[in-house]
Amino acid sequence: MKLGVCTSLKHAGEAAAAGFDYLELSVADDLEPEGDPAAWRERRRALSAAPLPIEAFNSFVRNQKVVGPNADAERLRVYVNGAFQRAAEVGGRILVFGSGGARNVPDGFPRAQAMRQLEAFLKACADASDATGVTLAIEPLHRGESNVINRVSEGAALARRVGRAGVRNLADTWHMEMEAEPLQAIVDSASVLAHVHTADTRRLPPGSGDYDHAGLFATLARAGYDARISIECNWPEGDPEVAFTRARTALVAARDGSPSA
């Protein structure tokens, strides 16, 4: 299983030195799907020259609404196509759809209509996936960050309703903790699981708390999942390479010590 880290391009060197397999960057900041094509050519060169492959991108939709009265389906479609195309050009394999602010259902807005908008957005992503080979992973967010799709089981159900190979689900252990969702949800959603995020308790770097990462890896093994797991956490101040190395070392120890891993 590949171990990656959610970070910025400026810390790619430290991530490589720490031994990670790949980077997870930001759609909004690093791909800028609505940005100037000439600026993208320069940015693409910088991303392609990174010391690690950039296999995943998060922060998908930041400045638009996916649901609600202000959602612009055509602008979203253009944005989605641009994001998938640019990700593919630099070797991206996964786009993460968390984007709580974009998908939150406004007060008083019909929830059934919001779900139809979400499914239409995901079908546009599926079309873009067909054209590029990049997969969308729906990220369930705890109720403090989003009022829709809060649990892995809900993300899996939505992916199955869309029913397209390019739209799948993500399990984030911190959001699962916040929702008190058992790890069994990962096994139950195995057929649509495309990506994993993790952190330690209180969203600290792995090895800084008491989260059962050995149990997580044993669960992933039971689910038959062996793709990628990205650390997404709040990093302490100080030397990024030291923090990255400690976190990766803790994950490797949990992975290699898991009896079912």
Side-chain angles (χ1 to χ4, degrees), residues 78-202:
V78 172
Y79 181 90
V80 162
N81 288 342
F84 275 77
Q85 181 58 44
R86 290 185 176 189
E89 289 177 17
V90 295
R93 307 306 304 158
I94 297 286
L95 294 186
V96 173
F97 176 46
S99 308
R103 79 186 197 206
N104 278 343
V105 181
D107 291 342
F109 191 79
R111 199 166 186 86
Q113 185 176 347
M115 293 308 297
R116 287 194 296 271
Q117 289 176 315
L118 265 176
E119 291 188 29
F121 170 78
L122 293 173
K123 287 174 182 176
C125 292
D127 291 341
S129 175
D130 288 346
T132 62
V134 179
T135 296
L136 182 85
I138 302 166
E139 181 175 26
L141 305 173
H142 74 83
R143 279 168 281 188
E145 293 189 8
S146 179
N147 62 12
V148 63
I149 319 172
N150 305 120
R151 296 167 69 86
V152 170
S153 58
E154 295 170 349
L158 180 56
R160 287 171 176 143
R161 275 203 310 278
V162 172
R164 300 278 297 277
V167 173
R168 301 180 72 194
N169 198 32
L170 181 151
D172 182 306
T173 63
W174 183 71
H175 291 292
M176 293 180 75
E177 275 198 296
M178 294 293 287
E179 287 291 310
E181 186 173 23
L183 286 175
Q184 179 62 33
I186 291 175
V187 178
D188 295 341
S189 72
S191 65
V192 290
L193 184 63
H195 195 45
V196 176
H197 283 168
T198 195
D200 217 313
T201 46
R202 301 179 301 284

